[in-house]
Amino acid sequence: MRADGAAILVIGNEVLSGSVEDINSTFLMRELRALGVETRRVCIVPDVLEEIRDELRLLSSRFEHVFTTGGVGPTHDDITFEAVAAAFDRPLVHSEEMERVVRDFFGEKVNETWLRLATVPEGTELVWSEGLPFPVTRIENVWVLPGEPTVMRAKFNGIRERFRVTPILSRQVWVSLDEGDLAELLRRVEDESGVRVGSYPTYVPADYRVRISLEDRDGEAVAAAYRQLLAALPPEVVVRTA
């Protein structure tokens, strides 16, 4: 049974070597969070078909949404579609619609290399968004996105509203205490309220020591946990709230 939430699979030797910084997964996590979707897993794999295939099989079976970034260009190491096909035991097929898209976009420059983009897993859905020359591709619960950050963001923004659910609500409290002074209180608030309680210390000069976060989809539960926390804290240690 698939769990709610999303997984992100970042594909590319260049990311694992450190020559390219992965900013795509950070963008996707923030955007999904704003839509009410929690990211449950982020994985980075090399341009190796078997490794991409195996991760996709696992992630697609466990999570509601899977997003891949990278490996969808025309070169020899762009094997994401091949790996997705293998993960779902589907053949690769020629898409006449994608061929028309490629020919329209590249015009006289089109060649057999660019036409590789028209080979996709059988049953691929082409999802169009206004203003984008290429569609987003979906195979079952896997959304295949490019690795180039500007294009990836444009494509995700074209489909983002499909994923909106009940938002995750939060309250924040900044305090001058250390985590060790808070541990038992935070555990009690989480156990009694049922909301997720997080503590995030800072080790750089600041006006606080720890930021406490209270999160849940139930606004009343968050409000109750917030009141419980403030009631248990000496007023002089509370730097600010939000």
Side-chain angles (χ1 to χ4, degrees), residues 1 12 16 46 57 67 113 126 133 142 151 166 185 202 211 232:
M1 182 176 179
L16 286 169
R57 281 178 176 168
F67 301 88
T113 298
L126 304 182
V142 175
V151 180
T166 303
L185 170 61
T202 181
R211 175 175 63 87

Side-chain angles (χ1 to χ4, degrees), residues 24 184 192 214 230:
N24 288 337
E184 188 56 41
E192 293 178 2
L214 311 168
L230 289 185

